[in-house]
Amino acid sequence: MADNRSATLRFDNKEIELPIYSPTAGPDVIDIRKLYGQGGVFTYDPGFTSTASCDSTITFIDGDKGELLHRGYPIDQLAEKSHYLEVCYLLLYGELPTGKQLEDFESLVTNHTMLHDQMSYFFRGFRRDAHPMAILVGVVGAMSAFYHDSTDISDPQQREVASIRLIAKMPTIAAWAYKFSIGQPFIYPRNDLDYASNFLRMCFAVPAQDYEVNPILSRAMDRIFTLHADHEQNASTSTVRLASSSGANPFACIAAGIACLWGPAHGGANQACLEMLKEIGTPDRIPEFIARAKDKDDNYRLMGFGHRVYKNHDPRATVLKQSADEVLNLLGVEDNPLLQVAKELEKQALEDPYFSEKKLFPNVDFYSGIILEAMGFPTSMFTPIFALSRTVGWISQWKEQLDDPQLKIGRPRQLYQGAAMRDYVDVEKR
Ligand code: SDX
């Protein structure tokens, strides 16, 4: 990483040498850790647009080329040739598994999908109309009250157990949040089903009749899980890393990540995007919405468009657009009006200089909602599915940080613009 190059910063008669590191891929970085000690100044970067918060070996995004690599493997190849639990293994352990390793890992996850039965009472404490993300935040955080034997982060074995428990139990928690919201009984996981099929069955089966998993939906579900698995230091992953830097237990850290993902600028965009497509309704209303998104005096944004890092097509959106066509065709709803609106909206936006000049392209959230709705999910379940998928990314980054000998508690500084010191004034003198 260090290649004996440095940047020289000169100001106020000071000259500070700052090391430059070259990554495997992406921009060089300037190590500013000694800047305050030697220069008495902070850097200033709200939103961290030019700041690397850590070094990592898990995921790399080339925003200009629209490339996404997980441990070096391109996302389009993984989406086509791999499947979610194999990608989980890759993200967690760094290499694609052998046949035996994959079989053992899948068996381990499969046999940890049930929840402590006492946890089922948690769901009943919520109102029926609670947003499933509110339930996810609550129940995942509460896991630290049930699984005490995997909360000690100093014990590698407990870290491993917590990782498997979270990956295995998130589909059950998300499915039960959905069942609770529609007043149907919880469906227990089955060990003879694969990960995606199990989730679909827990969501859509009822005790009154058998449920056959549609292999088309199961493959589409697994692909959606894979495409959302990890994405460098996005807002929710950074939240998990910051929470973990204080030594908080894994369940509390993942609950913090779920809370951050919920925002409409982040993982909540898939729900917001589908609601936007429904509001547009027909292609003839698209110009009205594009005009609003371009209007400087209107903070309206096209949901599912734009990205902090991608200044080209989000490769996940490209795969999802193809998947949307396939799934809707196979389900016999290829003339889905929302898909027509989405495709026309994408076409008109990308032909508009405002979007092309600002390099605003459809992101992962633009097409995912159309597929999820066609599969029978309500919009309120879109972000929980994103959270379920991203759990392995959060956990992989959490483990990587805990293994980092340089780990320090995250504690940013600030540019203080408030009042200078002043004396208290008694109320009768104000
Ligand atoms: C995810 O970080 C990740 O990796 C996230 C994610 C992951 O996998 O973890 O990829 C998942 O969160 C995808 C993004 C989902 N969010 C949305 O689709 C919401 C709509 N998009 C925007 O809110 C926005 O594009 C962000 C939040 C995604 C990115 O915002 P940035 O990087 O802070 O960019 P910005 O707000 O500074 O915008 C730059 C310019 C601005 O115009 P100017 O002030 O320069 O004139 O582009 C404009 C913005 O107004 N702009 C948009 C727009 N997004 C940006 N204008 C209209 N519609 C949009 N969607």
Side-chain angles (χ1 to χ4, degrees):
M1 187 164 75
D3 50 16
N4 301 322
R5 286 189 299 145
S6 66
T8 304
L9 186 60
R10 292 188 187 87
F11 65 99
D12 299 347
N13 303 320
K14 292 180 186 126
E15 184 170 294
I16 301 172
E17 289 301 313
L18 300 169
I20 295 177
Y21 305 139
S22 294
T24 310
D28 287 350
V29 300
I30 298 175
D31 183 344
I32 58 166
R33 282 176 289 186
K34 61 186 180 185
L35 182 59
Y36 180 56
Q38 292 188 9
V41 293
F42 299 146
T43 58
Y44 182 64
D45 184 16
F48 311 118
T49 53
S50 300
T51 295
S53 61
C54 61
D55 47 82
S56 179
T57 62
I58 300 172
T59 290
F60 174 70
I61 300 168
D62 186 321
D64 294 328
K65 294 180 185 168
E67 290 173 357
L68 167 58
L69 308 179
H70 289 320
R71 303 289 190 179
Y73 296 99
I75 189 63
D76 51 325
Q77 292 184 29
L78 293 172
E80 181 62 34
K81 299 175 179 176
S82 185
H83 62 278
Y84 182 68
L85 282 188
E86 184 176 74
V87 171
C88 286
Y89 186 99
L90 175 66
L91 290 170
L92 285 167
Y93 306 117
E95 298 295 336
L96 288 170
T98 63
K100 176 74 170 64
Q101 288 169 330
L102 181 58
E103 184 186 336
D104 291 348
F105 179 73
E106 292 188 335
S107 169
L108 193 58
V109 171
T110 299
N111 285 283
H112 285 82
T113 51
M114 286 184 66
L115 290 178
H116 186 298
D117 212 45
Q118 197 71 13
M119 291 191 77
S120 64
Y121 297 105
F122 262 116
F123 293 81
R124 293 179 170 81
F126 291 94
R127 286 175 38 151
R128 288 281 177 181
D129 60 355
H131 194 293
M133 285 297 279
I135 297 176
L136 242 61
V137 171
V139 173
V140 171
M143 287 175 77
S144 45
F146 283 86
Y147 300 107
H148 300 111
D149 61 345
S150 61
T151 52
D152 177 358
I153 61 168
S154 65
D155 177 350
Q157 178 52 23
Q158 291 197 33
R159 295 206 295 262
E160 185 66 17
V161 170
S163 303
I164 297 300
R165 277 176 166 156
L166 279 158
I167 293 166
K169 299 177 192 305
M170 280 300 275
T172 310
I173 294 169
W176 286 14
Y178 172 54
K179 283 303 201 184
F180 180 75
S181 72
I182 57 176
Q184 289 187 0
F186 296 147
I187 299 294
Y188 282 81
R190 290 258 307 259
N191 291 350
D192 60 341
L193 294 176
D194 63 69
Y195 194 86
S197 300
N198 228 341
F199 177 65
L200 289 171
R201 182 178 170 277
M202 287 191 283
C203 287
F204 298 124
V206 289
Q209 62 189 47
D210 292 340
Y211 176 82
E212 278 300 310
V213 179
N214 179 331
I216 300 158
L217 297 189
S218 176
R219 179 68 188 134
M221 189 80 265
D222 188 273
R223 182 170 290 177
I224 285 178
F225 290 160
T226 296
L227 292 169
H228 289 78
D230 190 46
H231 215 238
E232 285 192 3
Q233 307 311 318
N234 58 83
S236 53
T237 298
S238 298
T239 300
V240 170
R241 279 183 173 259
L242 196 55
S244 171
S245 72
S246 75
N249 76 68
F251 307 111
C253 295
I254 299 304
I258 295 170
C260 176
L261 185 77
W262 195 359
H266 190 12
N270 51 20
Q271 172 174 347
C273 182
L274 203 86
E275 287 161 356
M276 173 190 75
L277 294 174
K278 287 181 175 175
E279 189 185 358
I280 294 172
T282 53
D284 62 303
R285 292 196 64 206
I286 288 172
E288 169 194 335
F289 284 79
I290 287 182
R292 280 192 60 195
K294 291 164 62 178
D295 181 353
K296 274 230 165 291
D297 298 324
D298 186 340
N299 60 12
Y300 181 79
R301 292 191 168 187
L302 288 188
M303 302 317 282
F305 256 79
H307 199 277
R308 170 62 59 77
V309 177
Y310 289 121
K311 301 310 172 191
N312 197 325
H313 284 270
D314 178 336
R316 303 168 297 176
T318 305
V319 175
L320 281 169
K321 183 176 180 180
Q322 294 158 7
S323 204
D325 277 329
E326 285 166 23
V327 172
L328 271 63
N329 265 312
L330 291 166
L331 292 174
V333 287
E334 60 273 16
D335 57 353
N336 178 314
L338 291 177
L339 183 60
Q340 307 320 318
V341 170
K343 288 185 172 179
E344 182 59 23
L345 174 60
E346 179 183 14
K347 178 174 177 295
Q348 291 189 30
L350 296 184
E351 287 169 355
D352 188 306
Y354 173 90
F355 292 89
S356 50
E357 285 161 12
K358 291 179 186 294
K359 299 186 187 305
L360 302 174
F361 293 90
N363 58 46
V364 69
D365 295 303
F366 190 69
Y367 283 103
S368 58
I370 293 166
I371 301 172
L372 293 172
E373 183 176 78
M375 294 172 76
F377 290 104
T379 52
S380 61
M381 277 300 290
F382 292 3
T383 310
I385 288 168
F386 193 150
L388 183 173
S389 313
R390 185 54 58 87
T391 295
V392 65
W394 290 329
I395 283 292
S396 302
Q397 303 267 352
W398 168 77
K399 288 177 72 173
E400 180 176 70
Q401 177 170 276
L402 289 176
D403 291 337
D404 182 349
Q406 298 184 90
L407 174 58
K408 296 164 76 74
I409 189 168
R411 205 286 186 208
R413 303 305 298 270
Q414 62 179 8
L415 169 62
Y416 178 64
Q417 306 268 43
M421 189 184 289
R422 52 185 169 167
D423 292 330
Y424 181 81
V425 177
D426 293 335
V427 65
E428 55 275 2
K429 296 178 182 166
R430 291 174 205 159

